[in-house]
Amino acid sequence: ALYWADVAGEAIWRSALDGSDARVVVGRTAGLLEPWGVAVDPQRRILYWTDAAQDRIGRAEIETGAVAWVSLTAAGAAVFRGAGAADC
């Protein structure tokens, strides 16, 4: 699959490698405003991205679409909050 960030459309898209079956994976309804920098962990089947408008990192489980957002603790450690965040 191919994933990309659509800043103007406030969404992250997925398609087949030939461009067919394009669809939004994560969008504004998940709290996404200005997506940049998409990365895929193929072994864990997790999609990661940055949201430049909110200065935060998000992730989604590819199979379920469950979204979690990172927050920093007082000590500077990253902790994911939201659906599917238990295995971080």
Side-chain angles (χ1 to χ4, degrees):
L2 177 65
Y3 295 87
W4 69 94
D6 177 1
V7 176
E10 299 174 331
I12 296 173
W13 289 75
R14 175 183 193 256
S15 74
L17 291 177
D18 66 1
S20 64
D21 194 30
R23 59 189 164 100
V24 171
V25 177
V26 179
R28 191 164 178 84
T29 58
L32 185 63
L33 296 181
E34 196 173 322
W36 291 86
V38 176
V40 177
D41 180 340
Q43 291 182 328
R44 294 182 66 202
R45 310 267 311 142
I46 296 177
L47 175 69
Y48 296 91
W49 65 88
T50 57
D51 188 322
Q54 301 179 77
D55 292 326
R56 64 182 183 171
I57 300 168
R59 76 172 205 176
E61 295 178 12
I62 292 173
E63 301 300 323
T64 67
V67 173
W69 294 95
V70 73
S71 61
L72 297 177
T73 67
V79 178
F80 279 96
R81 308 263 185 227
D87 63 348
C88 292

